[in-house]
Amino acid sequence: MVSRELIARHCICCAGEQLQRSPAVLMPFVALRVFGHEPVEITPEWGLRDLRQGMAYTLCNSLQCQECGALFLDYRFTDEQMAALYHNYRDELYNAQRIRFEPNYVNVIPHYHERAAYLDEVEAWLAPHLPDAPAVLDWGGDSGINSPFRERNRLLHIHDISGVELVPGAERIEPQFIGKHRYDLVCCSQVLEHVSFPYDQVQRMLPALHPTSLLYLEVPHEALIREHPGSLELAPLKRHWHEHVNFFTEAAMRRLLGRLGLQVVDVLRLPVDVGWTRGEVMGVLARLA
């Protein structure tokens, strides 16, 4: 097993070593939250004889696995850096810092307080595989506002580090108690694109799975992946990185799950309108092999 590389040298999904590499920029908001970096302008007063004058930003690399197609940022943030990036996620300070660098973000904020409309379609896709009132564990589910079957469940447990207030009917659960329950559905939506070590993240969910349990993983099916299906030449096209540090292909998800002893049951590709933009999500349904 590949160790936790803080500068990736192996694929985060299949552990392959063949990576295409291309220079990129870490967006200023993320660089500030993670590293404390601010963009700077190099002027004549710096007295740097051998460097050109102009704006300087935090540099990074885009990497694409040549085996499974996963596209990702080379930086793999530590737990402490991830905590700094997501500390008080979307509170007033977070929003103010982000708006300073990204003024249009002010139009996005209201939509995070609403349940995503496309979840009705996700539930309809999942329902044939589940009992009428499933026992659900939402891993990384925030408040539970976007948990599948929020209004129709036997049990809704949320495991999330944010500590935010939960929606009515949801219960918070810590990892040491998860294995004591029998869940019909374990879901993790819109999380894996953010984390440094997705293999480790999914591995931590395994104690929640029984032979009859289903695991639903949902990630953005990013436009760059959709617009160049099957391409292994995407690294030069990805010039900047923000909070989504991993772009997944279906092949990458299958390889990641296969390494963990999981088999794919079905794959969903669903166009979505989330209020401020249109895109597509990829949902992968799996179970213990």
Side-chain angles (χ1 to χ4, degrees):
M1 178 181 169
V2 176
S3 63
R4 283 188 160 208
E5 300 170 328
L6 298 186
I7 302 294
R9 298 288 182 267
H10 295 78
C11 177
I12 59 169
C13 291
C14 73
E17 298 181 356
Q18 301 301 313
L19 303 178
Q20 184 189 51
R21 178 184 310 271
S22 188
V25 169
L26 188 63
M27 293 298 281
F29 170 74
V30 177
L32 174 64
R33 299 275 291 195
V34 172
F35 297 130
H37 292 181
E38 290 266 9
V40 297
E41 183 178 4
I42 300 176
T43 63
E45 288 73 24
W46 283 53
L48 299 177
R49 182 179 58 230
D50 298 322
L51 294 185
R52 293 182 181 179
Q53 296 169 24
M55 292 301 299
Y57 297 90
T58 301
L59 297 178
C60 57
N61 285 293
S62 297
L63 305 177
Q64 188 180 25
C65 177
Q66 299 300 286
E67 296 181 39
C68 71
L71 179 67
F72 51 98
L73 170 69
D74 62 343
Y75 288 135
R76 301 285 95 186
F77 302 141
T78 66
D79 290 344
E80 291 77 13
Q81 290 167 340
M82 288 290 289
L85 178 56
Y86 292 105
H87 179 65
N88 292 334
Y89 193 41
R90 299 187 181 129
D91 73 353
E92 289 186 10
L93 176 59
Y94 175 99
N95 291 340
Q97 286 181 330
R98 189 156 176 177
I99 291 168
R100 178 160 72 90
F101 293 108
E102 305 162 31
N104 288 334
Y105 186 71
V106 70
N107 299 317
V108 175
I109 295 169
H111 297 283
Y112 285 118
H113 301 292
E114 303 169 355
R115 181 171 171 84
Y118 75 87
L119 288 171
D120 290 342
E121 295 177 78
V122 172
E123 289 183 0
W125 184 76
L126 290 170
H129 301 278
L130 298 167
D132 289 339
V136 178
L137 168 64
D138 193 346
W139 189 285
D142 193 51
S143 68
I145 190 172
N146 286 314
S147 296
F149 303 101
R150 191 188 74 183
E151 303 295 337
R152 179 165 58 92
N153 63 75
R154 177 170 63 82
L155 174 75
L156 175 56
H157 281 169
I158 306 288
H159 171 60
D160 193 90
I161 63 173
S162 67
V164 299
E165 183 178 352
L166 301 184
V167 298
E171 300 177 58
R172 194 178 311 281
I173 190 166
E174 298 301 325
Q176 64 267 31
F177 300 114
I178 283 174
K180 298 180 180 181
H181 297 270
R182 184 170 290 273
Y183 298 107
D184 300 303
L185 177 68
V186 177
C187 60
C188 180
S189 300
Q190 307 293 319
V191 172
L192 296 183
E193 67 271 19
H194 295 267
V195 302
S196 293
F197 305 102
Y199 177 96
D200 293 0
Q201 190 79 1
V202 178
Q203 186 176 50
R204 286 196 286 268
M205 302 175 203
L206 297 184
L209 298 178
H210 294 270
T212 58
S213 303
L214 289 170
L215 174 65
Y216 176 69
L217 302 176
E218 181 184 294
V219 296
H221 194 206
E222 305 282 0
L224 188 59
I225 301 291
R226 300 196 313 269
E227 292 165 3
H228 302 85
S231 175
L232 298 177
E233 300 292 330
L234 298 183
L237 303 180
K238 182 58 177 170
R239 292 300 196 186
H240 73 283
W241 289 95
H242 207 288
E243 289 183 322
H244 291 188
V245 296
N246 310 312
F247 284 18
F248 296 96
T249 63
E250 181 180 329
M253 292 293 287
R254 288 180 177 274
R255 291 289 296 273
L256 172 64
L257 294 171
R259 290 174 62 207
L260 289 164
L262 295 161
Q263 65 180 20
V264 174
V265 176
D266 204 354
V267 177
L268 171 70
R269 293 185 180 174
L270 180 65
V272 297
D273 184 341
V274 291
W276 72 92
T277 187
R278 294 182 179 179
E280 187 170 298
V281 298
M282 176 167 58
V284 180
L285 191 64
R287 62 171 15 120
L288 295 171

